[in-house]
């Protein structure tokens, strides 16, 4: 009970600080700076990755490379960072890969459904994407804040992030895989103009021209997970090191740290996209 009261007091203090920051425009400037940084990184990668894609000319490899580019799209900065925060504690425990694959499967399912709707229901064209994806983009920031509050134990959710025990209990319960699966599915809807062009402008025409084109949105999802997978591999290797052995016994604290990251990134995401 004391822990919950302390977390609630911390939450109220954070909200007060956020109110001050919003009043001064500080958070908006921070979020826009992060967006500009991500856009710069994406612009640096485009000539190299897109040049390789055009030179190789293999459909499945092109889909994978488009997914890698999508991972660095500006709108992916907060969702990618929060996914890393969510999965990193399991990486330090050495049991992250089923959860990482569940996260990718959730994204792949979303991309496959979107491709199917556009190709078979809308006749291959999406006339007003903003009407569909902008409300989703606006809702993702508050969604991340709610997930973060669940990880912190302030509120309880039916999936893995609401169980009060340590990481082992979360991974062992049914929510241990449904949590990252649902998170991947929701994050698959985090579209912006850059990601929209990569997916609907480049990937879907490639899929239509390929014999196994219906598999390409799934390959695209795998590409989006490459940077995250490499970072999780690094965390997994660190978790086996002598210096970090004790971290396996503080899983609940690591998840609370992930919850704090979710709340912070959710606030930044909300401030940015509600002011665009």
């Amino acid at each position: 009970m004391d822990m919950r009261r302390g977390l609630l007091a911390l939450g109220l203090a954070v909200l007060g600080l956020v109110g001050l920051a919003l009043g001064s425009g500080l958070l908006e400037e921070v979020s826009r700076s992060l967006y500009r940084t991500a856009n710069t990184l994406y612009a640096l990668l485009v000539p190299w990755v897109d040049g390789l894609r055009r030179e190789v000319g293999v459909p499945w490899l092109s889909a994978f490379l488009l997914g890698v580019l999508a991972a660095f799209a500006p709108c992916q900065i907060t969702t990618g960072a929060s996914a890393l925060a969510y999965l990193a504690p399991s990486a330090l425990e050495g049991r992250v890969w089923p959860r990482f694959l569940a996260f990718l499967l959730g994204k792949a399912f979303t991309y496959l459904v979107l491709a199917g709707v556009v190709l078979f229901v809308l006749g291959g064209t999406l006339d007003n994407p903003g009407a569909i994806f902008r409300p989703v983009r606006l809702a993702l920031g508050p969604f991340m804040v709610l997930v973060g509050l669940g990880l912190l134990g302030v509120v309880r959710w039916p999936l893995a992030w609401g169980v009060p025990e340590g990481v082992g209990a979360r991974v062992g319960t049914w929510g241990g895989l449904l949590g990252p699966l649902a998170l991947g599915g929701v994050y698959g809807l985090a579209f912006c103009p850059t990601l929209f062009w990569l997916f609907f402008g480049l990937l879907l025409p490639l899929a239509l021209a390929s014999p196994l084109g219906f598999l390409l949105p799934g390959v695209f999802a795998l590409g989006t997970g490459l940077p995250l997978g490499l970072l999780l591999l690094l965390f997994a290797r660190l978790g086996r090191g002598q210096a970090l052995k004790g971290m396996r016994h503080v899983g609940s604290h690591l998840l609370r740290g992930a919850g704090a990251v979710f709340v912070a990134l959710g606030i930044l995401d909300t401030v940015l996209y509600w002011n665009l």
Side-chain angles (χ1 to χ4, degrees):
M1 181 64 68
D2 291 336
M3 176 66 73
R4 288 184 178 276
R5 287 177 179 173
L7 289 172
L8 182 59
L10 177 61
L12 292 174
V14 169
L15 288 176
L17 291 173
V18 168
L20 291 175
L22 283 173
S24 64
L26 175 61
L27 277 183
E28 184 177 355
E29 181 56 35
V30 170
S31 59
R32 289 185 182 276
S33 296
L34 288 173
Y35 192 93
R36 287 192 294 267
T37 301
N39 194 45
T40 301
L41 179 59
Y42 173 81
L44 289 173
L45 288 173
V46 165
W48 299 91
V49 178
D50 195 53
L52 177 62
R53 177 183 71 87
R54 293 175 183 275
E55 184 176 343
V56 173
V58 179
W60 66 266
L61 183 56
S62 294
F64 182 81
L65 291 173
L66 286 174
V68 174
L69 273 181
F72 292 95
C75 57
Q76 296 293 296
I77 181 171
T78 48
T79 55
S82 60
L84 176 63
Y86 181 60
L87 295 170
S90 297
L92 291 170
E93 283 205 335
R95 56 175 81 191
V96 69
W97 302 117
R99 309 191 81 209
F100 174 59
L101 291 176
F103 176 79
L104 290 183
L105 183 61
K107 290 190 78 173
F109 177 76
T110 296
Y111 290 147
L112 286 168
V113 169
L114 287 174
V117 168
V118 171
L119 292 177
F120 300 110
V121 178
L122 301 178
T125 60
L126 189 57
D127 295 328
N128 188 14
I132 299 174
F133 293 112
R134 178 164 172 76
V136 175
R137 183 70 260 186
L138 293 178
L140 275 179
F143 170 78
M144 283 191 280
V145 172
L146 290 175
V147 172
L149 292 176
L151 287 168
L152 286 169
V154 177
V155 294
R156 294 181 62 87
W157 303 107
L159 295 180
W161 48 64
V163 182
E165 291 81 10
V167 175
R170 286 172 170 81
V171 175
T173 60
W174 61 272
L177 290 181
L178 281 183
L181 182 71
L183 195 67
V186 172
Y187 280 5
L189 295 169
F191 275 80
C192 59
T194 301
L195 185 54
F196 180 87
W197 168 244
L198 291 172
F199 187 82
F200 293 101
L202 296 179
L203 180 72
L204 288 197
L206 182 66
L208 284 172
S210 304
L212 297 177
F214 65 95
L215 295 176
L216 294 189
V219 177
F220 180 86
L222 291 177
T224 65
L226 178 63
L228 176 60
L230 292 176
L231 289 172
L232 290 174
L233 179 62
L234 176 62
F235 273 82
R237 292 181 67 86
L238 288 174
R240 291 198 294 269
Q242 292 293 327
L244 294 178
K245 267 189 174 180
M247 296 189 81
R248 297 174 193 165
H249 305 293
V250 291
S252 61
H253 299 293
L254 293 175
L255 274 178
R256 293 188 193 283
V261 172
F262 262 86
V263 171
L265 291 174
I267 291 171
L268 288 175
D269 197 89
T270 302
V271 171
L272 175 62
Y273 288 99
W274 283 68
N275 284 284
L276 286 179

